[in-house]
Amino acid sequence: MANQVNGNAVQLKEEEEPMDTSSVTHTEHYKTLIEAGLPQKVAERLDEIFQTGLVAYVDLDERAIDALREFNEEGALSVLQQFKESDLSHVQ
């Protein structure tokens, strides 16, 4: 969206709308992730990872949640994407 400021066209960043989660199925841990202070999109992505079976909620400890909280939303999503793409088959 562009507006005029002092006669010049200025591109304005549109406000992001909250994700519609009404049609998304969450695990029982989604609410816990939100209550732990994770942004909605980060909690959604982590919940998706739980649903794929790549990692279980019980396998995470508080340090992992704290580390995700330290990142901004984009950084946390990037970390989770890298995690999803990693071959962790050798890790127990």
Side-chain angles (χ1 to χ4, degrees):
M1 169 166 55
N3 277 353
Q4 293 286 332
V5 175
N6 295 330
N8 297 314
V10 177
Q11 195 69 14
L12 298 177
K13 184 176 180 183
E14 293 186 33
E15 301 241 352
E16 288 188 28
E17 294 183 23
M19 285 179 62
D20 177 19
T21 59
S22 59
S23 63
V24 177
T25 304
H26 298 293
T27 68
E28 64 272 18
H29 304 294
Y30 174 75
K31 185 177 178 185
T32 305
L33 297 172
I34 294 293
E35 290 171 351
L38 291 178
Q40 180 180 351
K41 288 182 181 180
V42 175
E44 288 271 344
R45 183 73 49 85
L46 191 52
D47 201 51
E48 288 172 13
I49 291 171
F50 296 154
Q51 291 180 32
T52 65
L54 185 60
V55 69
Y57 178 79
V58 296
D59 294 332
L60 292 181
D61 63 12
E62 191 63 32
R63 295 173 296 176
I65 301 297
D66 289 343
L68 286 172
R69 267 198 312 258
E70 292 294 319
F71 288 99
N72 62 25
E73 185 174 277
E74 186 177 310
L77 290 172
S78 176
V79 166
L80 291 175
Q81 185 62 36
Q82 290 175 24
F83 179 77
K84 274 180 72 172
E85 294 171 356
S86 297
D87 177 14
L88 301 174
S89 59
H90 62 282
V91 178
Q92 292 186 5

